Amino acid sequence: METINTSGRRKTAVARIYMKAGNGNITVNGRDYKEYFTTETLRYVAVQSLKVTDTEGKYDIKVNLDGGGINGQAEALRLAIAKALCEINAEYRPALKAEGLMRRDPRMVERKKPGHPKARKRFQFSKR
């Protein structure tokens, strides 16, 4: 099996991954993913696609994460791994889709509007 190259995005985070057959090593920006994602929740989110398809420990994944926060990066990684698994085996797609892992989350930060302190906040109204 050759190396599969895919990317995933969430908010402003971008995950570019290189997946190949191996023994389950996941390297994020040169560090082990358990060291990079400090909480158990983030670790679970990052490898959720592998758990759903029961392919944990079968692939080595090298990840380049950029932008956003740690939570957005974990979710971007989850999408990238799901896309790579679908490239490897199309039979994984229905299971991943049922869990909602094949969809890029479209929610982004709303832009700040001119004449207002934030996106929706208004300056205090003064009648006189």
Side-chain angles (χ1 to χ4, degrees), residues 10-11 103-109:
R10 169 74 170 100
K11 291 188 176 179
R103 186 168 191 269
R104 190 236 191 258
D105 195 334
R107 295 175 295 172
M108 297 284 283
V109 175

Side-chain angles (χ1 to χ4, degrees), residues 58-78:
K58 293 184 180 176
Y59 300 106
D60 285 342
I61 305 170
K62 183 178 178 292
V63 185
N64 291 322
L65 279 174
D66 188 43
I70 196 88
N71 194 67
Q73 288 181 348
E75 292 184 22
L77 175 57
R78 177 176 70 182

Side-chain angles (χ1 to χ4, degrees), residues 3-116:
T3 303
I4 305 281
N5 179 15
T6 60
S7 66
R9 293 167 43 163
R10 169 74 170 100
K11 291 188 176 179
T12 57
V14 180
R16 295 186 311 278
I17 71 165
Y18 303 92
M19 182 186 277
K20 62 183 177 185
N23 55 0
N25 294 331
I26 302 174
T27 309
V28 179
N29 293 349
R31 294 160 44 190
D32 184 55
Y33 88 101
K34 289 181 179 173
E35 184 187 326
Y36 191 84
F37 296 115
T38 53
T39 65
E40 197 58 44
T41 310
L42 292 174
R43 289 179 196 153
Y44 174 78
V45 167
V47 296
Q48 191 175 359
S49 302
L50 295 170
K51 288 185 195 291
V52 167
T53 55
D54 201 34
T55 54
E56 267 186 301
K58 293 184 180 176
Y59 300 106
D60 285 342
I61 305 170
K62 183 178 178 292
V63 185
N64 291 322
L65 279 174
D66 188 43
I70 196 88
N71 194 67
Q73 288 181 348
E75 292 184 22
L77 175 57
R78 177 176 70 182
L79 176 61
I81 292 173
K83 286 164 73 173
L85 287 169
C86 285
E87 268 188 50
I88 292 167
N89 188 350
E91 293 172 13
Y92 293 144
R93 189 172 178 83
L96 290 167
K97 199 164 180 165
E99 291 289 320
L101 303 179
M102 289 303 298
R103 186 168 191 269
R104 190 236 191 258
D105 195 334
R107 295 175 295 172
M108 297 284 283
V109 175
E110 191 173 335
R111 76 176 193 89
K112 183 194 172 298
K113 314 307 187 296
H116 303 295

